[in-house]
Amino acid sequence: MSVALGTTRPLPVRTTPVGDPGDLLASLPRTTPYAWVRNGEGLVGWGEAARVAVPPGPGRFAWARQWLATVLGDAHVDDSVHAPASGPVAFGSFTFDEDARGSVLVVPRAVLGRRGGHAWLTTIGEAPLQTFSPVREPGRISYGDGSLSAPEWEHVVARAARRIRDGELEKVVLARDLLATAEQPIDVRLLLTRLARRYPECYTFSVAGLVGATPELLIRRTGQEIESLVLAGTTPRGTGTADDLARGAALFASTKDRHEHECAIASVRDTLAPLCSALMTPDEPELLMLPNVQHLASHVTGRLADGASVLDVVAAMHPTAAVGGTPTGTAIEVIRELEGMDRAGYAGPVGWIDANGDGEWGIALRSGLVQGRRARLFAGGGIMGDSDPAAELAEAQAKFRVMQYALEG
């Protein structure tokens, strides 16, 4: 554990209203940028007042909540804003696999927030100096195979589909990685800016080197109210309006994709129902159209029964069928056996939590791990018994384009 200001004395926290900063991402210095932004609103942070590597294991979310209670619970807070995400905030990223190392929580020294026409700045201790520098291009990008080549991954998909047809499980989500190397060190701020501009409806995030733009909201907690956006079932965008409409209609009518979506909704419903006094799920999905793909999407809303924090809900929900499979336990074992790589934070929970237990957490899709001149990009999709390996590969390649665009512009 690392706590810059020490846990032996409370963190001095001050939150004050500020003028509208406009583009939140333009406020970030080059080093240690943290971000959670959608449609120009959200949070950005820099510096580190406290940071911890969360130990792996089935109790990691409870451990993280206890650590946050220790660090944030005794903070001396001067907050004149009194809104969700004002006061001290922690950004976090958890690995997909509970047994993998790499989960992290960070309380930045400064957090700039913007929501509903209001903006605020939270600082811990002395306000950290913002050392601004021009955003730099990374230069030419070259790509190489990740853990598996494309033909090898198609073979894995075929093996998984065969096991589903044999009745071992209903669905498994398989991912692959792609390695990118730049001529110059990769400036995370450039990736964030490009992602936020091209995918404004997604949640653009940066936590400890994990950078991306996810369309999937795992959970939002505001007081006792919760929301979730479930995505399962995907098709690439078409070449024009008519092609888009045809592809969307085919996706909506696809037995394979509709069944995949129903598995995902059932997983979320079964998980949230014990935590909620009320829970609403739609009878039919809708089409969510993004610049690169279309998804079947369902909005889920509810009211918590027992005052659980957002991390408690994250712990109950992860991994969802949308990123793991059905039944979940069997799917995770198949992923460990067949996928041939460590997902790290890909498809794991990423987001923020405040001292009141409110927060927003997404699933880290359309993302990459950035370090120096290198980035490891991730993409995947849901495999069913009738999945075609070539089509699944094309879907993954379409999803890679999000981060490739961020790198190349």
Side-chain angles (χ1 to χ4, degrees):
M1 178 177 69
S2 171
V3 180
L5 296 181
T7 55
T8 57
R9 58 191 178 92
L11 299 177
V13 182
R14 186 169 185 237
T15 299
T16 56
V18 295
D20 190 342
D23 183 359
L24 283 171
L25 298 172
S27 302
L28 284 170
R30 182 178 178 85
T31 56
T32 61
Y34 299 94
W36 181 263
V37 175
R38 179 176 181 266
N39 282 327
E41 296 191 338
L43 303 170
V44 296
W46 56 94
E48 291 183 1
R51 179 187 178 110
V52 70
V54 179
R60 57 185 179 153
F61 293 105
W63 190 97
R65 182 178 180 180
Q66 182 58 49
W67 182 82
L68 285 169
T70 300
V71 173
L72 303 184
D74 294 331
H76 287 163
V77 180
D78 177 7
D79 181 1
S80 58
V81 176
H82 301 294
S86 68
V89 170
F91 288 79
S93 166
F94 288 83
T95 57
F96 171 80
D97 192 323
E98 66 179 20
D99 293 331
R101 296 187 179 277
S103 301
V104 64
L105 286 170
V106 180
V107 181
R109 281 187 174 270
V111 173
L112 181 63
R114 184 174 188 251
R115 187 188 301 269
H118 301 282
W120 63 91
L121 177 67
T122 298
T123 56
I124 296 180
E126 293 294 326
L129 294 176
Q130 292 171 276
T131 306
F132 289 105
S133 59
V135 176
R136 295 181 179 178
E137 295 276 351
R140 182 176 175 272
I141 308 294
S142 59
Y143 296 97
D145 284 336
S147 305
L148 298 176
S149 67
E152 288 171 333
W153 194 73
E154 286 182 297
H155 179 64
V156 166
V157 170
R159 290 175 62 191
R162 185 161 52 248
R163 291 171 70 162
I164 293 169
R165 290 194 299 272
D166 289 343
E168 184 176 343
L169 69 168
E170 287 187 65
K171 168 191 171 182
V172 63
V173 179
L174 293 178
R176 63 184 301 250
D177 57 350
L178 181 68
L179 303 181
T181 303
E183 290 180 315
Q184 304 295 329
I186 299 169
D187 191 333
V188 168
R189 297 172 302 171
L190 179 65
L191 308 188
L192 293 172
T193 298
R194 286 174 172 167
L195 290 171
R197 288 177 179 171
R198 182 148 183 169
Y199 305 96
E201 294 294 324
C202 292
Y203 297 86
T204 299
F205 60 87
S206 171
V207 180
L210 184 66
V211 182
T214 179
E216 191 146 354
L217 178 68
L218 180 63
I219 197 71
R220 174 188 296 121
R221 176 192 186 267
T222 308
Q224 299 303 101
E225 305 299 322
I226 59 171
E227 302 173 58
S228 182
L229 176 63
V230 180
L231 306 180
T234 305
T235 189
R237 287 290 301 271
T239 56
T241 301
D243 193 18
D244 265 340
L245 292 172
R247 287 172 180 263
L251 177 63
F252 204 81
S254 165
T255 301
K256 177 258 185 189
D257 289 289
R258 288 296 292 265
H259 180 57
E260 180 184 345
H261 193 82
E262 287 164 8
C263 288
I265 283 290
S267 170
V268 171
R269 185 190 303 115
D270 292 346
T271 300
L272 288 180
L275 300 175
C276 292
S277 58
L279 184 66
M280 286 71 71
T281 59
D283 294 329
E284 290 280 317
E286 59 189 54
L287 283 173
L288 175 64
M289 189 174 293
L290 300 173
N292 60 321
V293 293
Q294 299 182 62
H295 294 292
L296 294 178
S298 291
H299 291 267
V300 178
T301 59
R303 183 172 179 83
L304 290 174
D306 62 355
S309 90
V310 71
L311 274 186
D312 295 319
V313 185
V314 170
M317 294 184 70
H318 178 75
T320 66
V323 295
T326 307
T328 302
T330 304
I332 297 302
E333 290 305 316
V334 171
I335 289 169
R336 288 170 174 165
E337 178 185 345
L338 296 184
E339 203 169 70
M341 71 172 191
D342 176 9
R343 290 189 178 188
Y346 170 75
V350 62
W352 61 268
I353 178 173
D354 67 14
N356 297 316
D358 287 336
E360 292 179 320
W361 289 77
I363 299 174
L365 307 175
R366 320 294 196 271
S367 59
L369 275 173
V370 178
Q371 185 173 25
R373 296 190 302 115
R374 293 177 174 81
R376 183 177 173 221
L377 313 185
F378 300 93
I383 310 304
M384 307 295 287
D386 58 351
S387 288
D388 173 55
E392 298 297 338
L393 179 65
E395 179 180 319
Q397 289 171 330
K399 292 172 179 175
F400 275 135
R401 293 190 193 114
V402 173
M403 290 302 295
Q404 289 177 307
Y405 165 77
L407 287 166
E408 299 172 13

